[in-house]
Amino acid sequence: MKITVLTASPRPQGNTNQVTNVVVKELEALGHECKTYNLYEKEIHPCTACRKCQKNWETYECMFDDDVMEIYPEILKSELLILSTPIYSWYCTAPMKAMLDRLVYGLNKYYGEEKGPSLWAGTKVALISTCGYKVEKGMDLWEEGMKRYIKHSQLEYLGYLAERHKGYHLEFWDEEKEKRAQEFARKLGEKA
Ligand SMILES: Cc1cc2nc3c(=O)[nH]c(=O)nc-3n(C[C@H](O)[C@H](O)[C@H](O)COP(=O)(O)O)c2cc1C
């Protein structure tokens, strides 16, 4: 399966990327093809609601000629999209939010005079996050928001992997997290 992974942690060697790297490595070992984009290295202009995208029902279109133009074709070719972000203020980080806003308008032709199609209908989506609070209180609003986003966009939700970061003075990584990340990747592989 072809997979696009969007990562959105400002810390390249941070907790979220540690988890994500194990998931990607395992998926690749299972024969899946993963292409990863670090959104902190990309230029993603926030959506300005000009609705240029709604005039073209055939493909993604936008007034901003930035790095979304490189990423969206990969998403359209992928069976699975993995969104990886630390939780910031109960949601994703800012580059991930900018990306989601660009895609929800650019690929869902729902916002013109007539309702058009979702160009990415059927794409599977999985979430990877790390958070400071207990997972159920750190991850809940991000997951709920994404469940609605996924349903609205006619995508298919495959679930999430989230790990708690108990503090910068403590070692984040351990064998249990490694096992859970490998297991999550295997489950994603089976659901494909
Ligand atoms: C600006 C900021 C906001 C945060 N907000 C939350 C939050 O709302 N809920 C939570 O559980 N953790 C929150 N955290 C903690 C991070 O999610 C946690 O430390 C995470 O593991 C960091 O991932 P990273 O190492 O990939 O950067 C926040 C951290 C920062 C820096």
Side-chain angles (χ1 to χ4, degrees):
M1 141 171 87
K2 189 167 163 43
I3 302 168
T4 298
V5 184
L6 303 182
T7 67
S9 170
R11 303 196 314 136
Q13 317 300 329
N15 307 326
T16 318
N17 285 331
Q18 283 186 66
V19 178
T20 306
N21 290 343
V22 174
V23 172
V24 168
K25 204 171 146 199
E26 187 69 20
L27 283 166
E28 287 178 340
L30 293 168
H32 302 288
E33 187 194 331
C34 298
K35 189 149 187 178
T36 302
Y37 295 95
N38 174 359
L39 300 186
Y40 270 88
E41 289 174 352
K42 298 290 175 188
E43 190 194 336
I44 304 163
H45 198 287
C47 175
T48 56
C50 74
R51 298 195 300 149
K52 182 180 177 189
C53 53
Q54 299 304 310
K55 296 194 176 87
N56 183 349
W57 283 10
E58 303 299 315
T59 188
Y60 182 88
E61 198 168 306
C62 187
M63 69 177 287
F64 297 111
D65 184 16
D66 59 14
D67 291 331
V68 180
M69 302 314 278
E70 172 198 350
I71 300 171
Y72 90 79
E74 291 301 320
I75 295 175
L76 288 179
K77 280 188 257 163
S78 296
E79 212 174 303
L80 171 62
L81 174 63
I82 298 179
L83 303 175
S84 160
T85 176
I87 299 297
Y88 273 20
S89 305
W90 294 273
Y91 216 66
C92 61
T93 55
M96 178 66 81
K97 183 60 166 59
M99 187 69 186
L100 289 171
D101 292 346
R102 290 282 296 279
L103 295 174
V104 82
Y105 256 53
L107 294 177
N108 295 335
K109 307 297 179 177
Y110 303 167
Y111 311 104
E113 279 166 23
E114 279 177 74
K115 190 175 173 191
S118 158
L119 300 185
W120 53 340
T123 305
K124 297 176 174 75
V125 181
L127 308 176
I128 298 174
S129 274
T130 67
C131 53
Y133 298 138
K134 285 183 184 168
V135 166
E136 58 272 25
K137 292 278 181 192
M139 176 73 194
D140 56 342
L141 299 179
W142 165 235
E143 190 198 24
E144 192 55 34
M146 284 312 296
K147 278 185 175 171
R148 291 192 198 183
Y149 182 107
I150 287 164
K151 189 172 179 207
H152 177 76
S153 304
Q154 302 175 45
L155 313 176
E156 188 187 334
Y157 183 46
L158 296 192
Y160 76 82
L161 172 65
E163 296 290 353
R164 187 178 183 190
H165 174 216
K166 289 187 176 163
Y168 292 100
H169 60 292
L170 296 170
E171 181 60 44
F172 171 72
W173 199 245
D174 60 35
E175 256 181 52
E176 290 304 307
K177 290 189 178 74
E178 175 117 11
K179 278 191 206 147
R180 284 195 289 268
Q182 289 167 339
E183 183 57 25
F184 184 69
R186 282 195 285 274
K187 284 198 176 138
L188 291 182
E190 281 165 19
K191 285 180 189 170

